[in-house]
Amino acid sequence: WAGWWYFFAIGFAYMAVEVVLIQKYTRFIGASAHTVAAILFALLAGSALGAQAAPRFRDRTPFLGILGWLALDAVLAGPIMDRLAFLPMALRAASAVAMLAPLAFFMGMPFPKGTAKVGECVDWGFAVNGAASVAGSAAVLLVAFQWGFTAALALGGLVYLGAGLLLGREGGWVEVR
């Protein structure tokens, strides 16, 4: 069961973080399709690079990177955005991509880390992850509307922390043969 909870957690957390970051960086870049495109580009391109690099990192590294970068984002993103607000939109978008690239790199690692533990059962991992992505994108909005976007981003971080603990768990994973 640990594997399925793991894939659920990383799908939920990825979408929770993504939805909050789109909202947060909309204030910086401006309300337009350019903002969504810039944030999605940063997250998807960075995640692809992270997924490719995942085998070279220890299992806990992605989760430490995600939690650390979310903490940095919570503390430093606002002041950095305030200082760069005078830039034209294209440069604000490029700045947002640069600010999010390290986080996205680490966010791309958990899925391949999990697939290494479930082997041929990865199809179920995709299914659980996809369902959790839908749940995460909806649930994070409920949290954001009730307690704010900082709390919603913290929820994503906590779920990633739970996923990291599940990945380190010895039992409960499908045996790979």
Side-chain angles (χ1 to χ4, degrees):
W1 60 268
W4 312 135
W5 279 115
Y6 173 80
F7 282 105
F8 184 90
I10 63 172
F12 184 101
Y14 193 100
M15 286 306 292
V17 170
E18 179 181 308
V19 167
V20 173
L21 291 177
I22 289 171
Q23 176 62 32
K24 183 176 185 173
Y25 283 82
T26 295
R27 287 183 30 241
F28 175 54
I29 300 170
S32 71
H34 299 290
T35 298
V36 175
I39 302 311
L40 290 179
F41 171 77
L43 291 176
L44 295 176
S47 292
L49 293 172
Q52 185 177 17
R56 294 191 295 260
F57 289 86
R58 293 181 179 197
D59 284 352
R60 67 178 163 202
T61 300
F63 302 99
L64 295 174
I66 292 166
L67 294 172
W69 206 261
L70 287 176
L72 282 173
D73 185 80
V75 173
L76 298 177
I80 291 171
M81 288 184 212
D82 290 344
R83 287 196 182 1
L84 299 178
F86 71 92
L87 293 172
M89 183 181 60
L91 292 177
R92 289 192 314 268
S95 299
V97 169
M99 289 166 54
L100 294 175
L103 172 62
F105 180 77
F106 289 116
M107 287 172 63
M109 292 182 188
F111 197 91
K113 292 284 185 192
T115 61
K117 289 189 108 172
V118 297
E120 294 178 9
C121 293
V122 70
D123 294 349
W124 283 101
F126 274 106
V128 171
N129 185 267
S133 296
V134 174
S137 61
V140 75
L141 291 175
L142 296 175
V143 171
F145 294 153
Q146 184 66 34
W147 294 290
F149 284 102
T150 301
L153 202 55
L155 172 65
L158 287 173
V159 175
Y160 266 123
L161 177 62
L165 294 173
L166 284 170
L167 186 64
R169 187 180 158 89
E170 292 299 320
W173 286 83
V174 175
E175 262 186 59
V176 179
R177 295 184 181 164

